[in-house]
Amino acid sequence: MDNTKVMADGTKDFALRKVSSHCSISEMDDYDLSKLLDKPRLNIERQRSFDERSLSELSIGLTRALENYDGVYSPGRSGLNTPASSTRNSFEPHPMVADAWEALRRSLVYFRGQPVGTIAAYDHASEEVLNYDQVFVRDFVPSALAFLMNGEPDIVKNFLLKTLQLQGWEKRIDRFKLGEGAMPASFKVLHDPLRKTDTIIADFGESAIGRVAPIDSGFWWIILLRAYTKSTGDLSLSETPECQKGMRLILSLCLSEGFDTFPTLLCADGCSMIDRRMGIYGYPIEIQALFFMALRSALVMLKHDAEGKEFVERIVKRLHALSYHIRSYFWLDFQQLNDIYRYKTEEYSHTAVNKFNVIPDSIPDWVFDFMPTRGGYFIGNVSPARMDFRWFALGNCVAILSSLATPEQASAIMDLIEERWEELVGEMPLKISYPAIESHEWRIVTGCDPKNTRWSYHNGGSWPVLLWLLTAACIKTGRPQIARRAIDLAESRLLKDIWPEYYDGKLGRYIGKQARKYQTWSIAGYLVAKMMLEDPSHLGMISLEEDKLMKPVIKRSSSWTC
Ligand code: GLC
């Protein structure tokens, strides 16, 4: 049966296929998952124009796109496509689900009576609280998605507004003033029981270990604003002058012109989830993928008014260049590895094949064994004479969700995860990076960081929070069975081990040396993974469809032809 219908503007829409949010996991196997993903569009045509306007629509017909966007706003459909938690579905919830919800609610942070976020870890046993009692922007994302999926958007709105206010603060490190658009890594609410006042302190990098600004915070903020808007249908938040300005300020930081010769964003080490020195300085894939997703999300939310229009045009240009660059130069599969292995060096001029002058001798031994015949991935970093061949889970999953990866690349990434299951998933999903660096290299790269010894923490440790990203990527690529396998692994241990922050070891068998317990994003990540697998239409709030105008540029991949 052909479920597509042709929209007024000539594009096809798959929205007609009805999907019950009550279907069980086994029933779901029978569906073509890629078709399920459009369910949110069942309810309202407005949603198509909200986030699926293609670049062509935008660059060719800015005005028409604006009319589409504004004209079909339909308020009051909140919750229509966010079925409440599994307890209300026919699906039998795992006993861990109730425990997880309880723990998630316990982590809520209130400001003047309103919930505004969740603390990073609710760990009573731990003597060293450090800053785990703060609300981290990146950590709150899975919490926010869990609340949105459960039909509780208010806390997400409060969080978005509160962090927006914090963005307006003057940010200084010693005598140096940070860019206006910087979003905090985290904030903390201080309650004064005597004066009955609540105050907030925020950290933009000036207190953080290493004094690094979190580049990912602003991107996550934009991505979350879109998730909120998509899930609730409430355009009124993203359309406020405050939110529009907040977006523009973030974009000003990353779209400014300088000495760059690449469209990717130059970063300091430790500016993202990996917030310590780990050799990710340069152009780390995690930030590039989030940058791409934030640009695409902003594109559908920015108003085309006097101030917004200029940004829309800059975004469109940047997206073209960025997708071309990453799809061409960050992509590695068997064929590409073989090509690099045979590269000539010292090529000058436009005809150079080895554009960045990568010396084949710098390819680490492990990658030759690791690379399967089928499959591929975006490597960690690309800059002059330097390719970091390590695998980073977050960047690759976000590349799939944002459609930075072409459909072929997305399935090649899933092939790789299947082929290298033991290395990348092992006994606890999911390795943050692979492989670990050790010995001399560890000394040089991490600066002898005792927290990042091999197969621990950011250096090849396993992070349960990544389960939601893996699950979302699995659903998007039509491979729910991979997610189910990963969730089964998590369910065999997470609750018993009291929701650790991370696991150590080559297979992720050991609770991390300094891992917090009741780590909120481990809890929320599990809930989001469960809810998405149960009702794949949730994926819409965190996934962007392929934009046909950004044509794939790479022809080769062994898995593409399989
Ligand atoms: C660690 C993680 C960071 C996280 C923070 C709070 O510093 O590396 O990604 O945001 O803990 O959980």
Side-chain angles (χ1 to χ4, degrees):
M1 189 177 75
D2 185 5
N3 292 303
T4 61
K5 73 168 174 167
V6 178
M7 308 297 291
D9 62 358
T11 58
K12 283 189 170 179
D13 189 291
F14 292 97
L16 293 181
R17 187 161 193 167
K18 275 206 175 214
V19 182
S20 163
S21 59
H22 298 262
C23 70
S24 72
I25 282 185
S26 57
E27 279 167 346
M28 251 171 43
D29 275 343
D30 303 331
Y31 281 95
D32 173 356
L33 274 158
S34 58
K35 301 245 170 82
L36 300 189
L37 309 181
D38 293 300
K39 188 201 158 206
R41 283 188 267 150
L42 269 179
N43 303 312
I44 194 157
E45 200 103 305
R46 183 200 57 71
Q47 293 226 318
R48 198 206 69 83
S49 62
F50 170 64
D51 64 1
E52 278 149 42
R53 290 174 308 158
S54 69
L55 279 174
S56 47
E57 276 175 286
L58 280 154
S59 46
I60 297 164
L62 290 175
T63 333
R64 199 196 62 181
L66 177 63
E67 280 161 11
N68 274 350
Y69 182 60
D70 287 344
V72 280
Y73 170 48
S74 163
R77 52 159 298 280
S78 169
L80 267 179
N81 53 29
T82 51
S85 75
S86 51
T87 45
R88 273 186 258 167
N89 287 337
S90 58
F91 168 76
E92 193 57 49
H94 191 278
M96 252 166 83
V97 169
D99 192 276
W101 272 113
E102 204 184 307
L104 181 61
R105 293 198 193 284
R106 205 171 47 206
S107 73
L108 282 170
V109 169
Y110 293 83
F111 180 77
R112 300 186 184 151
Q114 298 285 324
V116 288
T118 48
I119 50 168
Y122 191 88
D123 192 351
H124 283 313
S126 171
E127 283 159 24
E128 250 198 338
V129 179
L130 293 174
N131 50 0
Y132 283 87
D133 60 349
Q134 305 210 1
V135 180
F136 278 74
V137 171
R138 72 175 73 87
D139 292 44
F140 182 67
V141 172
S143 298
L145 295 177
F147 288 120
L148 288 175
M149 289 176 189
N150 202 41
E152 301 175 71
D154 287 350
I155 176 176
V156 182
K157 185 175 181 175
N158 295 342
F159 168 88
L160 287 165
L161 289 170
K162 186 46 69 198
T163 40
L164 189 61
Q165 259 178 21
L166 299 178
Q167 185 197 37
W169 285 13
E170 195 189 82
K171 296 152 276 220
R172 272 180 191 280
I173 296 189
D174 296 333
R175 296 177 188 182
F176 187 64
K177 210 170 130 203
L178 263 72
E180 228 189 311
M183 280 279 181
S186 60
F187 66 86
K188 183 176 176 162
V189 178
L190 302 167
H191 303 284
D192 183 335
L194 290 177
R195 290 196 198 149
K196 293 207 170 54
T197 53
D198 284 350
T199 42
I200 283 197
I201 51 161
D203 176 17
F204 297 85
E206 75 275 30
S207 313
I209 297 168
R211 302 286 184 268
V212 181
I215 302 187
D216 62 339
S217 284
F219 296 154
W220 279 123
W221 187 87
I222 292 177
I223 293 166
L224 194 55
L225 181 62
R226 176 190 166 266
Y228 170 87
T229 311
K230 173 91 178 170
S231 141
T232 60
D234 170 19
L235 287 170
S236 65
L237 180 65
S238 68
E239 286 185 345
T240 55
E242 292 78 14
C243 280
Q244 292 286 317
K245 185 176 174 208
M247 275 191 278
R248 288 197 307 268
L249 284 175
I250 296 168
L251 294 167
S252 302
L253 288 178
C254 49
L255 293 175
S256 60
E257 288 171 2
F259 290 102
D260 304 298
T261 45
F262 309 133
T264 34
L265 201 64
L266 186 58
C267 303
D269 224 345
C271 63
S272 63
M273 174 186 183
I274 297 179
D275 53 3
R276 301 164 80 89
R277 184 171 150 189
M278 262 300 291
I280 58 159
Y281 62 91
Y283 304 90
I285 186 64
E286 167 168 348
I287 291 295
Q288 311 312 323
L290 286 171
F291 179 31
F292 180 86
M293 189 159 189
L295 288 183
R296 288 200 64 195
S297 303
L299 195 55
V300 293
M301 293 187 293
L302 276 175
K303 286 191 179 173
H304 298 223
D305 52 17
E307 289 152 307
K309 206 163 173 269
E310 184 209 325
F311 281 92
V312 168
E313 282 159 12
R314 284 161 78 187
I315 291 175
V316 170
K317 284 190 195 141
R318 191 65 172 256
L319 280 173
H320 280 293
L322 189 61
S323 57
Y324 178 84
H325 184 91
I326 296 176
R327 287 171 183 177
S328 314
Y329 307 126
F330 278 65
W331 183 251
L332 193 75
D333 56 18
F334 183 78
Q335 179 69 52
Q336 175 73 357
L337 179 57
N338 210 153
D339 290 350
I340 300 171
Y341 174 66
R342 290 164 50 81
Y343 266 167
K344 292 192 185 62
T345 58
E346 314 295 328
E347 294 172 303
Y348 180 73
S349 158
H350 292 286
T351 51
V353 177
N354 180 4
K355 295 198 175 71
F356 307 110
N357 199 34
V358 175
I359 319 286
D361 266 357
S362 70
I363 308 174
D365 288 342
W366 64 264
V367 80
F368 292 106
D369 297 330
F370 176 71
M371 183 58 75
T373 325
R374 255 174 81 93
Y377 64 106
F378 292 109
I379 62 170
N381 220 304
V382 177
S383 60
R386 177 178 172 247
M387 287 178 109
D388 180 349
F389 290 90
R390 279 177 295 172
W391 151 269
F392 289 91
L394 197 153
N396 275 277
C397 289
V398 172
I400 293 177
L401 294 178
S402 61
S403 292
L404 168 60
T406 64
E408 294 81 5
Q409 287 173 330
S411 35
I413 294 170
M414 299 315 295
D415 288 343
L416 179 95
I417 294 175
E418 271 190 318
E419 296 275 331
R420 293 290 173 257
W421 186 261
E422 190 164 289
E423 289 88 342
L424 303 180
V425 181
E427 293 186 21
M428 178 53 68
L430 188 63
K431 283 245 167 53
I432 192 169
S433 60
Y434 179 90
I437 42 181
E438 37 193 314
S439 315
H440 181 61
E441 198 188 3
W442 166 79
R443 263 178 238 118
I444 304 293
V445 171
T446 71
C448 302
D449 188 346
K451 204 166 173 183
N452 271 333
T453 49
R454 62 180 181 171
W455 307 115
S456 181
Y457 202 47
H458 302 141
N459 186 10
S462 302
W463 290 65
V465 60
L466 298 171
L467 188 60
W468 81 263
L469 282 155
L470 175 69
T471 303
C474 288
I475 296 173
K476 180 149 182 177
T477 50
R479 316 253 192 119
Q481 67 288 355
I482 302 184
R484 195 164 312 131
R485 212 174 139 194
I487 291 175
D488 284 348
L489 283 171
E491 281 178 340
S492 69
R493 292 205 50 185
L494 274 189
L495 177 62
K496 186 160 64 77
D497 296 342
I498 325 182
W499 308 102
E501 179 187 15
Y502 64 96
Y503 285 78
D504 284 356
K506 244 181 168 165
L507 291 172
R509 287 177 71 192
Y510 299 90
I511 298 175
K513 204 189 290 172
Q514 294 185 47
R516 309 285 135 168
K517 299 290 180 71
Y518 290 113
Q519 181 79 20
T520 306
W521 66 359
S522 300
I523 298 164
Y526 166 72
L527 285 173
V528 171
K530 286 292 271 188
M531 284 190 278
M532 269 191 305
L533 201 52
E534 192 181 318
D535 180 356
S537 73
H538 286 314
L539 182 68
M541 66 175 92
I542 200 65
S543 164
L544 293 157
E545 304 246 325
E546 189 199 1
D547 195 305
K548 300 285 184 301
L549 204 86
M550 293 188 283
K551 290 265 182 306
V553 285
I554 293 219
K555 292 133 258 122
R556 45 165 195 271
S557 166
S558 39
S559 30
W560 296 8
T561 48
C562 292

